Amino acid sequence: MKKTLLDEQTEKVIENRLFHHVYQPLYFLSDWSLLGYEAFLRTQYFVSPEQLFQNAERIDKLYELDILSLFKAIVSYTPKNKALQTSLFVNIFPSTLLHPDFHCFLDGLLSDYTVSKGEIVLEINESQEINDVKSMRNILSFLHQNGFQIALDDVGKGSASFKNLVEFEPDFVKLDRYFSIDLSVCPRKQRLIELLVSYCKDEAYLILEGIEKSEDLAIAKLLGVNIGQGYLLGKPEQFS
């Protein structure tokens, strides 16, 4: 198959690591204490990171890009206040976790770099369907045993979200930003969040993403959501 200009651009970004990360804060709503930051990939060569990842998958380079992004996000993580014990949320595709080389990558990362495993939250990207549930449960169990924490991203967006919530027993449940939009005036969203708050109690922390209005934040706190994230609380920024 003949390479397109987009394919060549994707390979260029991956081979030369022409990307960086910005970090967005997450806060406990009970006392406004800082939980940590989520890393987001940024590159000047694509309109959106999603386009880069989608094309990397099309040319069979997704694992390579995902691993490089994970590596760079972790080793570049230097929060403004280094004395704070903050968590780092890093996105990862299910296919990366299940890749036969992932264990070797993880061993190399932990042996060559000072990484505090208890502070790293691997955030499973929900854009891919997880067909091999047994293998995924095995790798997540391995990660838990080795001190990593697990988050399910964009819960409520995909058709398999709630099944994955039951199967994989995450430490963090991240509600899709859809639920934060006009939450203060939507009783149906409020009732669903109440159910999830009840479900997650003593099992996982519930995170509401995409909070942009103070009235929606107030309702999220009133409903018992544990953690908030969004432009109202802090925009993604590079650490200097």
Side-chain angles (χ1 to χ4, degrees), residues 52-117:
L52 171 61
F53 280 106
Q54 287 168 4
N55 207 59
E57 184 172 23
R58 194 181 69 80
I59 63 173
D60 200 25
K61 294 276 187 180
L62 180 59
Y63 175 76
E64 186 177 351
L65 174 60
D66 206 24
I67 283 298
L68 286 173
S69 176
L70 179 68
F71 171 82
K72 197 168 184 179
I74 292 174
V75 300
S76 302
Y77 181 56
T78 53
K80 295 174 182 176
N81 188 340
K82 295 181 181 180
L84 290 175
Q85 295 296 307
T86 55
S87 297
L88 172 63
F89 287 70
V90 283
N91 290 274
I92 190 166
F93 284 93
S95 58
T96 298
L97 289 171
L98 296 174
H99 195 281
D101 294 335
F102 180 69
H103 277 83
C104 292
F105 161 77
L106 207 58
D107 289 341
L109 177 69
L110 297 177
S111 62
D112 295 341
Y113 294 88
T114 304
V115 175
S116 180
K117 295 179 290 187

Side-chain angles (χ1 to χ4, degrees), residues 19-236:
F19 57 84
H20 64 278
H21 290 84
V22 292
Y23 298 85
Q24 185 176 35
L26 299 93
Y27 291 94
F28 286 104
L29 299 188
S30 59
D31 60 4
W32 305 112
S33 61
L34 179 67
L35 165 63
Y37 295 86
E38 180 178 356
F40 294 96
L41 180 146
R42 295 288 186 266
T43 177
Q44 68 184 49
Y45 297 93
F46 282 83
V47 174
S48 69
E50 289 77 16
Q51 184 186 31
L52 171 61
F53 280 106
Q54 287 168 4
N55 207 59
E57 184 172 23
R58 194 181 69 80
I59 63 173
D60 200 25
K61 294 276 187 180
L62 180 59
Y63 175 76
E64 186 177 351
L65 174 60
D66 206 24
I67 283 298
L68 286 173
S69 176
L70 179 68
F71 171 82
K72 197 168 184 179
I74 292 174
V75 300
S76 302
Y77 181 56
T78 53
K80 295 174 182 176
N81 188 340
K82 295 181 181 180
L84 290 175
Q85 295 296 307
T86 55
S87 297
L88 172 63
F89 287 70
V90 283
N91 290 274
I92 190 166
F93 284 93
S95 58
T96 298
L97 289 171
L98 296 174
H99 195 281
D101 294 335
F102 180 69
H103 277 83
C104 292
F105 161 77
L106 207 58
D107 289 341
L109 177 69
L110 297 177
S111 62
D112 295 341
Y113 294 88
T114 304
V115 175
S116 180
K117 295 179 290 187
E119 296 174 7
I120 296 177
V121 183
L122 296 175
E123 191 169 317
I124 301 175
N125 192 306
E126 286 272 288
S127 65
Q128 282 185 341
E129 186 175 353
I130 302 172
N131 295 314
D132 192 344
V133 172
K134 182 178 179 181
S135 294
M136 181 59 73
R137 290 187 69 172
N138 287 339
I139 185 63
L140 295 183
S141 177
F142 169 80
L143 290 166
H144 270 137
Q145 291 168 13
N146 283 272
F148 291 91
Q149 294 181 292
I150 303 299
L152 284 184
D153 192 21
D154 294 334
V155 169
K157 182 178 183 179
S159 59
S161 291
F162 293 113
K163 182 188 77 173
N164 294 340
L165 180 58
V166 173
E167 290 286 351
F168 302 135
E169 302 178 7
D171 304 286
F172 297 91
V173 175
K174 299 194 74 178
L175 273 177
D176 182 65
R177 62 185 302 111
Y178 163 80
F179 293 97
S180 66
I181 299 172
D182 295 327
L183 174 62
S184 63
V185 294
C186 184
R188 293 186 301 278
K189 290 182 181 181
Q190 294 173 20
R191 288 196 296 270
L192 184 55
I193 287 178
E194 281 183 314
L195 290 173
L196 287 169
V197 166
S198 178
Y199 178 85
C200 291
K201 187 177 181 180
D202 301 324
E203 298 290 336
Y205 288 105
L206 186 64
I207 301 173
L208 183 61
E209 300 180 291
I211 301 174
E212 297 185 2
K213 297 180 180 178
S214 58
E215 55 267 36
D216 296 327
L217 173 62
I219 292 297
K221 184 176 181 180
L222 185 65
L223 293 172
V225 173
N226 303 116
I227 298 158
Q229 181 180 2
Y231 275 29
L232 182 66
L233 299 171
K235 295 182 179 180

